[in-house]
Amino acid sequence: MKEIIVYCNSIELLYVEDNEEARQFTMELLSRFFKNIAVCENGLEALEIFKVKDISLIMSDINMPKMDGIEMSKKIRDINQDVPIILLSAHNESSFKDSANHAGVTDYLEKPLNLSRLIELLNSFANQQDMEK
């Protein structure tokens, strides 16, 4: 768990969610891990933030106004092939996962967030970062 905390405190997370209630609930959880979180309400806003900040991890809803999470992921992949992108969704259909895979998404988390699955993903990213050093 220590490696996860060190990892999370050393990076900036971009969190994208248009639903205010879901955003507040998830921010309470994420703020236990991350010190630096940029929060956006849609994919277009997130893309603009990504262009100017040193973002190391993206967690985004799929269905949002202005630009959805799949389209945002495609545009981010045009800029950066390596940043992990996790899409959050209440959907678990294969068509959604196929679209997300084509957009270069790293992984998925179902809503509401499962803490143990989130920790598992963060641990994976922390281990990967250690191996790259």
Side-chain angles (χ1 to χ4, degrees):
M1 188 64 147
K2 182 178 179 182
E3 294 85 12
I4 295 172
I5 300 298
V6 169
Y7 166 73
C8 291
N9 284 328
S10 69
I11 68 166
E12 183 155 6
L13 168 69
L14 175 58
Y15 173 56
V16 192
E17 172 63 66
D18 65 314
N19 180 289
E20 185 176 350
E21 186 177 310
R23 191 171 53 247
Q24 288 177 353
F25 173 80
T26 305
M27 279 298 296
E28 285 181 32
L29 176 63
L30 294 175
S31 64
R32 295 177 186 170
F33 294 94
F34 296 92
K35 282 186 182 179
N36 301 306
I37 305 173
V39 181
C40 299
E41 295 182 13
N42 63 67
L44 186 59
E45 182 184 346
L47 181 61
E48 295 306 312
I49 294 292
F50 184 80
K51 291 177 181 178
V52 297
K53 288 190 164 232
D54 186 24
I55 301 296
S56 300
L57 175 63
I58 300 165
M59 293 180 72
S60 176
D61 186 23
I62 293 178
N63 297 318
M64 298 177 291
K66 297 185 182 179
M67 182 184 295
D68 67 30
I70 303 264
E71 186 64 25
M72 178 200 72
S73 297
K74 289 178 185 175
K75 293 187 181 298
I76 286 173
R77 284 293 176 240
D78 289 340
I79 300 166
N80 183 314
Q81 290 289 315
D82 300 321
V83 64
I85 302 173
I86 301 169
L87 288 186
L88 311 173
S89 178
H91 306 289
N92 194 15
E93 303 121 23
S94 60
S95 62
F96 146 72
K97 289 187 176 183
D98 288 344
S99 297
N101 286 335
H102 288 264
V105 170
T106 309
D107 217 319
Y108 324 92
L109 286 174
E110 289 185 35
K111 291 181 184 179
L113 291 184
N114 177 310
L115 182 57
S116 61
R117 178 75 173 110
L118 175 61
I119 290 171
E120 178 184 306
L121 274 177
L122 294 176
N123 187 51
S124 170
F125 296 143
N127 288 337
Q128 183 177 351
Q129 184 182 47
D130 281 349
M131 289 189 333
E132 290 173 0
K133 287 183 179 179

